[in-house]
Amino acid sequence: SNPSQTTDCEIVPIEYCSLGEIVTFTGQDQQFTFVDVAFKLPAGVPILAPFDGPNEHTPFSLFGTDVTSFVMSKASDSKAQFEIDGDLVLPIPALTDIKKGDVVAHIQDTGVQLQGSYNLLVSFANVGDESHPSTIDRNEITKRFPNLSP
C-alpha cells in the first residue's frame, strides 16, 4: 500500500484509503471472478456511500452467516452497484434513500475475516441481465484508488 495516497476514495475516511489492497477470487459457481478492494480496519471506522441511490436489500450472504453485506445502486444508473461485505454493523433502521457521504455501516470487531484476514471487502459492479453478464467496474476502483491497479 502507498501511504502517500491523497485521493479521497469517498468510501472510508481519507486516512484509511491507502490501506486498500486488490483481491480477486472466483465465485462458488466458477462463472465470475470478483475484484474487490480489501481492508483490515480498526473497529469503529465508518463506511460511506460513494454516491446517491437506493439501498438494495440482499437477503443472502456470499460468504457465510457471520458476514454482513450491504448493497446500494446508483441513482443515476441503476445497473451500477456498490457492495460492502465484512465485519460490519449497519444502522437501524436500515437506510433507504441514501445520499453520497452518508454512513452506511461501521466496522466492528467480532472476528469475521474474509479472503484471508480482511474485515472489509468493497466492490463496484455493473449488474447484468439475461443477455449480459454482470461485470466488475474497474474504472470506479481506479478512480478511487489510483495507487491500485485492478
Side-chain angles (χ1 to χ4, degrees), residues 91-105:
I92 306 294
L95 297 173
T96 49
D97 185 23
I98 298 165
K99 298 299 181 203
K100 178 179 173 179
D102 282 355
V103 174
V104 296

Side-chain angles (χ1 to χ4, degrees), residues 13-14 39 75 90 138:
I14 190 168
F39 292 88
L90 305 181
R138 294 169 188 262

Side-chain angles (χ1 to χ4, degrees), residues 63-77:
F63 301 99
T65 53
D66 296 331
V67 175
T68 301
S69 300
F70 169 86
V71 180
M72 67 177 289
S73 297
K74 196 181 228 176
S76 59
D77 175 7

Side-chain angles (χ1 to χ4, degrees), residues 110-133:
T110 65
V112 167
Q113 294 187 336
L114 294 168
Q115 302 307 118
S117 58
Y118 301 105
N119 60 3
L120 173 66
L121 297 181
V122 171
S123 60
F124 289 94
N126 293 303
V127 179
D129 53 32
E130 289 77 14
S131 55
H132 297 90

